[in-house]
């Protein structure tokens, strides 16, 4: 029957549904609460409440732990000086709201719980908590009247109006304070006055590094005073600290050495934001304070952390040894070097696979090219082949299809490091000279990168070439002479280390100009002909086409050097001229066979080199997409270097009630930094907030 009566009563007059508490919240209350000896009810006073929402192990050097006691007034809805489990549950429920920080500040001033704040109540609580020596603030100013009405027409503030007023209050406090200290009305104040303004209005949001160096703001411009523009720019920077952190993180990740300049910061800000949020002066202020200990102008995350991270303390304040920073720098440098080594190894491996694939595809053409270049037309009976097609037919007829792949094994073994070195060196040098902002490179640097890549590969190319060539021509020699077939190992042992580098000068003369022509041509074809860009990725057909076209002039124009190299490296047969040097070979060929002899095998070389490098580079770029460097970004061009996590925008590990309470206090302290601080009587008219006490 009682149950029915209760249901009828609830239906008629309603009921208050207390918010459900999580197991953790209940456990926290039970662990901290006291027990009423008379009723047996658990309760918390202000002291236990602070212990519950402000754990001892958190950082309180900006907002003192005793200031959290002001939140007790919000939890103590009935103003009894104690809160029950239900009161604690209501407060926990409030903290869980998405706009908890502003609502907590609103409820602090809405003491009667009416849902609006009367100006008289606001002014009373404000006067009770502001410091005796605080910079005066005029609540009758034009700015304040827009929110609370003029002196003769005050109106109650709703929650949205109040929260929006708090959003702009810090800026108005700075404006009024500047006006007070600008005694000459010339728009300038002394650095000491600026320091006092910031300490009173924003101390709770700034790092020790910023607070200790506020007076140096006058150094960003000529003169020894600080203008109002400086003050507003500084206020804008600290208001957008989270966005500053994000921009810095992105910019440093794209930097090879983890450092950025003012230009890098502004460029990244333009990429991230829809509008230009940071003026040149604001960027100057950020880099001024971050670069006080790094005058080079290139700053790292560690430099910015001293500005962005409000919890940052000096090594002296933390009691740290100076070796800590050096140790962290050493670890960071080691990580960066290790990453570079792993990245180079990754590129080398992909280049090896791509090079072997390209060489195997066109190897028959390479064999025909070599035999055509070795054919000496001035000797009677030496014209074995009429042209490249005739050569291919006779190889298949006399030696079988396998004859087209004579010597392919050492080619595959040697071409892997050869092409890998070429691709890696070109990438490294090209990347070094490429402008980071515009992604452009001077044409002379393109030639240097390509030529250097060609020069570096010769250490692998020459031994490979001489063994390959001798294997390629011995098939035709065995057909017409009694010379036995030799294996690759026999040739290597017979030549020795010095012999393996016979014709190296000719090899350099061929490979340096080839790569200097090929790589710039390939990159320009991709960009200018096919329109490659960060927003447009080319397909395999386009990559192959660009590689093939770039290879044509590079291959044909370097054919004379290739002919000389082949003649020097092939073992001379009986009755044939033995070439003693590059100059002797060139002059002998010209004298005995004419100028046209230098372009023997030219068409075959074009047919071989063009598709080979096309296949190689296409395979290399495809492999980079299919098998990216572990930990690298999947979109956009690969960026070598630095990827240290940002220091300010990290996920907080502290309990959520503490984090929300701390953020709410930051908003309340924008009104005056003395809110929640214990006050002592200075006269008969002093009135204190109930229950506030200091607790260290």
């Amino acid at each position: 029957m009682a149950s029915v009566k209760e249901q009828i009563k609830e239906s008629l007059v309603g009921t208050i549904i207390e918010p459900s508490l999580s197991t953790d919240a209940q456990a926290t209350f039970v662990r901290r609460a006291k027990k009423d000896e008379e009723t047996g009810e658990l309760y918390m006073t202000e002291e236990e409440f602070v212990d519950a929402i402000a754990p001892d192990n958190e950082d309180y050097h900006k907002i003192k732990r005793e200031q959290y006691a002001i939140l007790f007034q919000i939890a103590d809805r009935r103003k009894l000086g104690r809160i029950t489990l239900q009161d604690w549950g209501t407060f926990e429920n409030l903290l869980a709201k998405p706009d908890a920080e502003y609502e907590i500040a609103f409820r602090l001033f809405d003491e009667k719980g009416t849902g609006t704040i009367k100006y008289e109540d606001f002014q009373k609580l404000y006067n009770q908590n502001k410091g005796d020596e605080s910079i005066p603030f005029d609540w009758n100013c034009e700015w304040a009247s827009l929110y609370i009405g003029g002196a003769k027409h005050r109106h109650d503030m709703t929650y949205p109006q109040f929260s929006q007023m708090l959003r702009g209050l810090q800026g108005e406090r700075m404006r009024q304070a500047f006006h007070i200290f600008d005694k000459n009305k010339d728009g300038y104040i002394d650095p000491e006055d600026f320091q006092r303004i910031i300490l009173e209005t924003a101390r709770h949001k700034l790092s020790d590094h910023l607070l200790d160096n506020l007076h140096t703001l006058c150094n960003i411009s000529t003169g020894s005073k600080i203008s109002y523009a400086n003050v507003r720019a500084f206020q804008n920077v600290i208001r957008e600290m989270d966005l500053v952190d994000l921009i810095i993180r992105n910019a440093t990740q794209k930097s090879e050495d983890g450092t950025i300049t003012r230009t890098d910061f502004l460029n990244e800000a333009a990429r991230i934001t829809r509008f230009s949020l940071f003026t040149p002066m604001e960027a100057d202020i950020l880099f001024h304070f971050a670069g006080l200990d790094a005058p080079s102008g290139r700053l790292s995350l560690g430099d910015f952390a001293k500005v962005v991270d409000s919890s940052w303390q000096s090594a002296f304040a933390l009691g740290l040894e100076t070796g800590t920073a050096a140790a962290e720098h050493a670890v960071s440098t080691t990580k960066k070097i290790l990453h570079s080594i792993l990245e180079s190894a990754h590129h080398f491996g992909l280049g090896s696979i791509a090079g072997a694939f390209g060489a195997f595809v066109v190897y028959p053409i390479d064999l025909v090219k070599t035999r055509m270049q070795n054919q000496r037309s001035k000797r009677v009976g030496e014209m074995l082949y009429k042209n490249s097609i005739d050569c291919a037919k006779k190889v298949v007829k006399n030696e079988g299809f396998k004859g087209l792949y004579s010597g392919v094994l050492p080619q595959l073994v040697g071409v892997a490091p050869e092409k890998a070195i070429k691709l890696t060196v070109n990438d490294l040098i090209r990347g070094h000279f490429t402008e980071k902002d515009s992604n452009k490179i001077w044409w002379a640097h393109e030639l240097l990168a390509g030529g250097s890549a060609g020069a570096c590969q010769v250490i692998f190319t020459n031994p490979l070439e001489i063994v390959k060539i001798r294997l390629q021509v011995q098939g035709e020699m065995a057909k017409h002479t009694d010379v036995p077939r030799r294996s690759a190992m026999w040739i290597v042992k017979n030549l020795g280390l010095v012999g393996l580098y016979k014709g190296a000068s000719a090899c350099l003369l061929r490979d340096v100009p080839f790569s200097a022509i090929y790589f710039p041509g390939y990159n320009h074809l991709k960009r200018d002909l096919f329109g490659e860009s960060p927003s447009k990725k080319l397909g395999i057909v386009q990559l192959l086409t660009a590689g093939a076209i770039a290879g044509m002039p590079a291959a044909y124009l370097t054919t004379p050097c290739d002919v000389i190299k082949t003649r020097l490296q092939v073992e001379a047969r009986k009755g044939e001229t033995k070439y003693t040097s590059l100059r002797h070979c060139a002059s002998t060929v010209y004298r005995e066979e004419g100028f046209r002899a230098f372009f023997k095998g030219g068409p075959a070389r074009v047919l071989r080199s063009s598709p080979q490098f096309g296949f190689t580079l296409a395979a290399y770029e495809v492999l980079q997409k299919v098998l990216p460097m572990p930990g690298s970004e999947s979109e956009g061009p690969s960026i070598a270097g630095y990827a240290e996590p940002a220091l300010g925008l990290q996920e907080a590990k502290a309990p959520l009630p503490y984090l929300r309470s701390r953020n709410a206090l930051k908003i309340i302290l924008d009104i005056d930094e003395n809110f929640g601080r214990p006050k002592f009587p200075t006269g008969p008219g002093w009135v204190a907030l109930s229950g506030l006490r200091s607790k260290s």
Side-chain angles (χ1 to χ4, degrees):
M1 195 67 181
S3 177
V4 174
K5 287 183 179 180
E6 289 176 0
Q7 291 178 10
I8 294 174
K9 181 180 178 181
E10 289 177 3
S11 300
L12 293 174
V13 300
T15 183
I16 298 175
I17 301 175
E18 297 292 345
S20 59
L21 268 177
S22 66
T23 303
D24 290 342
Q26 290 187 41
T28 300
F29 181 85
V30 172
R31 185 171 62 253
R32 302 288 185 183
K34 296 179 179 179
K35 187 174 182 179
D36 191 314
E37 297 298 335
E38 295 182 4
T39 64
E41 184 182 37
L42 295 176
Y43 68 93
M44 286 197 301
T45 63
E46 180 187 287
E47 183 177 354
E48 291 79 40
F49 175 83
V50 172
D51 290 340
I53 66 169
D56 290 330
N57 58 341
E58 297 299 335
D59 175 26
Y60 297 103
H61 87 285
K62 281 290 179 295
I63 301 176
K64 300 305 179 184
R65 191 166 181 267
E66 60 265 19
Q67 289 181 276
Y68 286 79
I70 197 171
L71 303 181
F72 180 76
Q73 295 181 86
I74 300 166
D76 183 16
R77 297 176 297 168
R78 293 167 293 179
K79 310 303 178 186
L80 300 176
R82 59 166 63 182
I83 62 173
T84 63
L85 179 61
Q86 288 73 27
D87 296 327
W88 175 253
T90 302
F91 184 76
E92 283 274 343
N93 182 256
L94 173 61
L95 291 178
K97 288 189 173 184
D99 56 345
E101 294 84 356
Y102 281 101
E103 188 158 346
I104 286 173
F106 178 80
R107 292 194 183 189
L108 177 66
F109 288 91
D110 181 21
E111 291 183 310
K112 298 176 182 177
T114 61
T116 59
I117 298 176
K118 293 185 177 295
Y119 172 73
E120 294 77 11
D121 295 335
F122 175 84
Q123 191 68 45
K124 175 184 176 183
L125 195 57
Y126 170 76
N127 290 333
Q128 288 175 359
N129 284 274
K130 74 180 184 70
D132 296 330
E133 303 297 327
S134 295
I135 301 173
F137 184 81
D138 181 15
W139 288 101
N140 293 314
C141 68
E142 184 178 353
W143 176 88
S145 66
L146 295 174
Y147 292 97
I148 60 179
K152 297 181 179 180
H153 303 282
R154 301 294 190 194
H155 62 76
D156 299 346
M157 284 184 286
T158 63
Y159 170 56
Q161 292 171 339
F162 178 77
S163 57
Q164 199 60 46
M165 182 191 73
L166 291 186
R167 175 70 172 167
L169 179 60
Q170 187 180 65
E172 177 62 16
R173 289 185 65 199
M174 288 185 180
R175 187 195 69 80
Q176 290 194 22
F178 186 94
H179 184 73
I180 291 172
F181 289 114
D182 181 17
K183 297 180 176 60
N184 297 328
K185 307 306 176 187
D186 59 357
Y188 290 92
I189 61 174
D190 292 328
E192 295 75 21
D193 295 330
F194 168 73
Q195 188 172 24
R196 182 182 172 188
I197 291 173
I198 300 303
L199 288 176
E200 286 201 22
T201 59
R203 183 201 302 264
H204 53 287
K205 292 182 177 179
L206 304 180
S207 68
D208 288 355
H209 175 78
L210 264 181
L211 297 175
D212 292 341
N213 294 283
L214 288 171
H215 60 281
T216 67
L217 182 61
C218 63
N219 294 332
I220 71 167
S221 57
T222 57
S224 60
K225 291 200 171 187
I226 294 173
S227 69
Y228 182 65
N230 295 148
V231 176
R232 295 300 296 180
F234 182 87
Q235 195 259 336
N236 289 343
V237 170
I238 64 177
R239 186 178 60 187
E240 301 292 344
M241 276 301 190
D242 287 342
L243 181 57
V244 168
D245 192 317
L246 178 61
I247 294 170
I248 291 169
R249 174 174 58 180
N250 283 12
T252 51
Q253 284 178 339
K254 295 177 181 179
S255 171
E256 292 183 353
D257 61 356
T259 63
I260 61 172
T261 63
R262 174 182 177 276
T263 301
D264 297 328
F265 173 82
L266 289 174
N267 287 340
E268 190 61 29
R271 294 187 187 99
I272 290 178
T273 59
R274 289 180 180 270
F275 307 101
S276 181
L277 292 181
F278 296 97
T279 65
M281 181 178 288
E282 290 164 3
D284 288 340
I285 288 173
L286 173 63
F287 273 76
H288 165 72
F289 285 108
L292 288 174
D293 299 324
S296 66
R298 297 197 64 88
L299 306 181
S300 67
L301 282 176
D303 299 316
F304 287 110
K306 295 181 291 187
V307 176
V308 175
D309 186 0
S310 61
S311 65
W312 189 91
Q313 301 180 59
S314 65
F316 176 78
L318 291 172
L320 298 178
E321 297 181 359
T322 56
T324 303
E328 291 178 353
H329 178 73
V331 170
S332 175
T333 303
T334 302
K335 287 182 179 179
K336 185 170 65 175
I337 294 173
L338 181 59
H339 183 274
S340 298
I341 293 173
L342 291 175
E343 186 176 48
S344 297
H346 175 258
H347 289 334
F348 190 91
L350 297 186
S352 299
I353 298 172
F357 172 73
F360 185 81
V361 170
V362 301
Y363 189 81
I365 302 175
D366 185 62
L367 181 134
V368 171
K369 182 268 304 181
T370 299
R371 293 199 179 184
M372 288 298 296
Q373 289 180 339
N374 189 51
Q375 183 170 249
R376 306 195 184 189
S377 58
K378 292 301 180 181
R379 288 180 58 87
V380 179
E382 287 294 324
M383 293 294 292
L384 298 177
Y385 315 115
K386 297 177 182 179
N387 51 46
S388 296
I389 297 176
D390 181 57
C391 177
K393 289 180 178 178
K394 288 181 178 179
V395 169
V396 174
K397 179 181 178 181
N398 297 328
E399 304 168 44
F401 182 77
K402 291 176 62 177
L404 292 173
Y405 282 91
S406 297
V408 71
L409 186 59
Q411 170 77 344
L412 295 181
V413 172
V415 79
E418 173 205 334
K419 293 297 184 291
I421 285 178
K422 178 182 284 191
L423 293 169
T424 302
V425 170
N426 178 71
D427 279 354
L428 289 175
I429 298 179
R430 189 179 180 87
H432 176 74
F433 288 110
T434 298
E435 296 177 6
K436 300 298 181 293
D437 297 334
S438 61
N439 202 33
K440 293 181 179 179
I441 183 173
W442 186 35
W443 65 268
H445 290 153
E446 289 186 286
L447 295 178
L448 175 63
S452 300
C456 290
Q457 76 171 34
V458 172
I459 189 172
F460 285 99
T461 302
N462 208 80
L464 159 73
E465 289 281 335
I466 195 168
V467 174
K468 180 196 70 173
I469 286 172
R470 295 199 175 191
L471 288 171
Q472 286 177 334
V473 301
Q474 73 174 353
E476 66 183 22
M477 293 173 65
K479 193 73 178 176
H480 297 85
T481 64
D482 295 330
V483 177
R485 283 183 174 272
R486 304 296 188 183
S487 66
M489 290 304 299
W490 185 92
I491 295 173
V492 171
K493 290 179 180 179
N494 186 59
L495 287 171
L497 182 61
V498 176
L500 286 172
Y501 283 92
K502 185 178 182 180
S505 56
C507 200
L508 274 171
L509 200 60
R510 178 198 66 175
D511 289 344
V512 171
F514 178 94
S515 297
I517 296 170
Y518 183 82
F519 281 110
Y522 176 69
N523 283 285
H524 279 282
L525 283 167
K526 289 196 301 177
R527 186 183 64 198
D528 302 333
L529 180 62
F530 294 107
E532 183 184 46
S533 67
S535 60
K536 181 182 178 182
K537 302 301 179 184
L538 302 184
I540 296 177
V541 174
Q542 293 167 309
L543 294 174
L544 284 172
T545 304
I549 296 174
M552 290 177 183
Y556 194 77
L557 293 175
T558 56
T559 299
C561 302
D562 195 48
V563 170
I564 295 172
K565 179 193 72 66
T566 300
R567 295 289 182 91
L568 285 170
Q569 292 179 335
V570 171
E571 188 176 4
R573 286 173 272 184
K574 291 181 180 180
E576 291 181 340
T577 303
K578 291 185 177 181
Y579 305 115
T580 58
S581 66
L582 189 150
R583 178 180 294 181
H584 176 254
C585 178
S587 60
T588 302
V589 170
Y590 180 74
R591 185 177 64 253
E592 294 181 354
E593 305 173 49
F595 181 76
R596 293 181 61 184
F598 288 111
F599 287 90
K600 285 183 176 182
R605 180 167 164 77
V606 170
L607 289 174
R608 188 268 292 181
S609 297
S610 293
Q612 177 182 356
F613 279 89
F615 278 116
T616 298
L617 279 170
Y620 181 65
E621 297 197 20
V622 170
L623 285 171
Q624 281 186 316
K625 296 175 183 177
V626 176
L627 301 172
M629 174 75 179
S632 63
E633 294 181 355
S634 59
E635 296 180 0
S638 60
I639 301 168
Y642 208 76
E644 186 172 318
L647 298 174
L649 290 179
Q650 298 184 83
E651 181 181 351
K653 304 300 182 183
L656 186 59
Y658 162 72
L659 295 175
R660 280 289 175 81
S661 301
R662 183 195 63 189
N663 292 340
L665 276 175
K666 286 183 178 180
I667 293 175
I668 294 171
L669 294 179
D670 282 349
I671 302 173
D672 192 283
E673 65 164 349
N674 293 291
F675 263 80
R677 287 185 177 177
K679 295 185 69 173
F680 300 94
T682 57
W686 177 80
V687 180
L689 289 172
S690 62
L692 292 181
R693 64 171 64 89
S694 177
K695 185 179 191 297
S696 59

